[in-house]
Amino acid sequence: FEEVFANKINIAIASYETIRIEEAYLKEKEFALVILDEAQNIKNPMVERTRAVKNLKANYRLALTGTPIENSLSDAWSIFDYLIPGYLYKYQRFISEIAREENFGLMKKKLLPFVLRRTKNEVLKELPKKTEELVYIAFNDEEKKLYQSELLHAKMLLENDPDNRMRMLANITQLREICVDPHLVYENYTEGSAKTETLLEMLNNLLLNNHKVLIFSQFVKYLKLLEEKLKALNIDYYLLTGDTSAIKRQEMANDFNANTDKKVFLVSLKAGGVGLNLIGADTVIHVDPWWNYAIESQASDRAYRIGQTRPVTIYKLVMKNSIEEKVIKLQEYKKHLSNEVINENDEMMSKLSIKDFEALLN
């Protein structure tokens, strides 16, 4: 940055992490314009990255984001606290007076003059049709016994030790893992997995009909388990996790889009949910529904973007009578919240109240 200002370079491009590291130097400078791309990166007002960005001095400020509200209305508050400090009041007043469902109308009125929203359907009219489908699956008998046992244990924990949030989160994660495949939790489990069997049957039919498929899961351990299944079936694939290098990641994406032989791409939701162009696929399968619709939708859109010429189908695999059905309801609420306020997300779990936990386990 010293070279930028010394040489009077007109435009500087920096990551959020660089701004955090260079905060002491940058906050003494003044910019004509600061533009934030993926502005949801400053949705948490308590982290150093957000503070460093808000300390930048600028005559004009612009924020670009596809997900201004990922978890709660406070996400939008933090972005506006950067754009127009004080416009949505101090944080505590905002939470107590505006961030309430009965005040969505007021929030919308305050945001409307400053928000330009363009949906993908409005901008990319040449994109083919996109279809979403929920695939409900029933537990087999052994899975049902294990799930009910863990559910009872989680309820007892909540009743006896409601302040033990970390343990509660661990129990909920375990319930979700059982929904995906009990082998993720029990090393000695010898019965089948209804979801894995359904997934492999779907995959076989899709490949027979010449479709290319993205399979997303937040559980890397499950992707590794699925990897072994594909090897046994002689199905060629790619696997992308947080351990995949940036160079390898791009190489795999390019080859997948161009290579007709490799029809399956296993992707970790957190590692590959953004920043990839995978239009070689026309089918997306979410093995385990994630809490946040916006994050899941971003992952699906790896296949639904500029250059896609085929209709795209998105399947979400959901176990009946399980916590996964509650996750789907939570997704719908988050989607409703964003749409109500703006109007046509991992962090969220740490904010769940005791009542939220009770609702998930009922």
Side-chain angles (χ1 to χ4, degrees):
F1 277 105
E2 290 181 2
E3 291 183 8
V4 169
F5 286 100
N7 295 311
K8 297 183 179 180
I9 294 174
N10 292 327
I11 299 175
I13 300 175
S15 68
Y16 287 96
E17 183 64 13
T18 299
I19 293 173
R20 184 191 68 78
I21 294 171
E22 300 285 350
E23 178 185 3
Y25 179 80
L26 291 176
K27 69 180 182 181
E28 301 301 326
K29 304 299 178 180
E30 187 166 321
F31 297 88
L33 170 66
V34 172
I35 302 174
L36 300 188
D37 191 23
E38 303 291 353
Q40 71 274 9
N41 279 284
I42 64 164
K43 69 179 183 290
N44 185 344
M46 306 303 175
V47 300
E48 292 183 359
R49 173 179 62 240
T50 301
R51 182 198 65 206
V53 169
K54 291 181 179 181
N55 278 337
L56 295 175
K57 297 173 185 173
N59 295 327
Y60 298 95
R61 297 181 176 192
L62 185 66
L64 309 176
T65 175
T67 51
I69 299 174
E70 285 192 354
N71 298 319
S72 67
L73 294 182
S74 62
D75 298 348
W77 177 88
S78 188
I79 294 173
F80 265 80
D81 189 49
Y82 153 78
L83 289 170
I84 316 173
Y87 178 65
L88 292 180
Y89 315 126
K90 295 293 185 182
Y91 183 71
Q92 291 304 324
R93 182 181 175 188
F94 171 79
I95 293 298
S96 61
E97 296 184 16
I98 296 184
R100 306 164 68 92
E101 191 160 358
E102 61 268 25
N103 290 330
F104 280 1
L106 174 60
M107 180 79 169
K108 185 186 297 185
K109 286 180 181 178
K110 291 186 75 69
L111 296 189
L112 187 60
F114 302 100
V115 174
L116 174 63
R117 187 183 189 200
R118 301 192 304 165
T119 64
K120 184 172 287 188
N121 289 337
E122 292 170 336
V123 179
L124 302 176
K125 296 183 183 295
E126 71 277 12
L127 278 179
K129 183 179 179 181
K130 179 173 73 171
T131 305
E132 291 190 8
E133 182 178 334
L134 295 177
V135 179
Y136 287 95
I137 305 165
F139 285 118
N140 64 39
D141 290 342
E142 190 62 26
E143 286 176 310
K144 188 174 182 179
K145 291 177 185 177
L146 293 173
Y147 183 85
Q148 292 297 334
S149 176
E150 289 298 332
L151 180 62
L152 179 61
H153 177 67
K155 287 181 176 180
M156 291 175 60
L157 172 66
L158 182 61
E159 182 179 346
N160 298 327
D161 192 6
D163 295 327
N164 193 339
R165 298 180 62 83
M166 294 304 296
R167 182 66 182 274
M168 195 68 247
L169 290 170
N171 278 110
I172 285 179
T173 298
Q174 194 166 66
L175 284 170
R176 296 185 66 237
E177 288 177 325
I178 293 173
C179 287
V180 175
D181 192 313
H183 292 95
L184 300 181
V185 179
Y186 308 102
E187 291 184 4
N188 297 325
Y189 180 74
T190 57
E191 302 296 324
S193 160
K195 180 171 283 192
T196 298
E197 290 168 5
T198 300
L199 172 60
L200 292 175
E201 183 178 345
M202 287 177 62
L203 188 59
N204 181 60
N205 290 332
L206 288 165
L207 296 181
L208 285 175
N209 287 282
N210 204 35
H211 294 283
K212 296 185 72 172
V213 186
L214 304 182
I215 300 177
F216 283 100
S217 175
Q218 73 140 332
F219 300 113
V220 174
K221 187 177 178 181
Y222 181 71
L223 294 178
K224 297 291 183 67
L225 183 153
L226 196 55
E227 182 180 26
E228 295 305 313
K229 301 282 187 183
L230 296 184
K231 287 179 180 178
L233 295 170
N234 293 317
I235 296 175
D236 211 354
Y237 65 92
Y238 278 124
L239 171 66
L240 189 154
T241 70
D243 294 330
T244 307
S245 69
I247 294 176
K248 184 65 175 177
R249 170 188 172 107
Q250 194 57 55
E251 287 177 352
M252 290 193 302
N254 292 341
D255 190 56
F256 179 77
N257 291 334
N259 190 337
T260 57
D261 295 328
K262 291 196 175 184
K263 299 183 184 301
V264 180
F265 209 133
L266 308 178
V267 190
S268 164
L269 184 68
K270 292 184 179 179
V274 296
L276 280 175
N277 183 335
L278 295 171
I279 57 171
D282 61 359
T283 305
V284 178
I285 300 176
H286 289 281
V287 176
D288 40 283
W290 185 232
W291 308 100
N292 196 302
Y293 176 84
I295 292 174
E296 201 172 82
S297 181
Q298 280 185 321
S300 299
D301 283 353
R302 297 312 93 208
Y304 192 68
R305 53 202 306 108
I306 294 174
Q308 180 59 268
T309 58
R310 294 171 295 169
V312 173
T313 304
I314 298 159
Y315 297 102
K316 297 181 181 181
L317 309 188
V318 183
M319 297 306 291
K320 293 179 182 177
N321 301 315
S322 79
I323 194 172
E324 290 190 337
E325 291 186 318
K326 306 297 175 65
V327 173
I328 294 296
K329 289 181 180 179
L330 193 56
Q331 284 185 353
E332 288 302 312
Y333 173 73
K334 293 298 176 182
K335 185 179 179 182
H336 163 76
L337 179 67
S338 181
N339 286 336
E340 277 293 302
V341 175
I342 301 301
N343 191 32
E344 332 241 81
N345 207 88
D346 337 286
E347 177 183 345
M348 185 177 69
M349 279 301 291
S350 65
K351 298 178 181 178
L352 291 181
S353 66
I354 297 301
K355 288 185 177 180
D356 292 327
F357 282 128
E358 290 174 346
L360 287 170
L361 297 178
N362 282 336

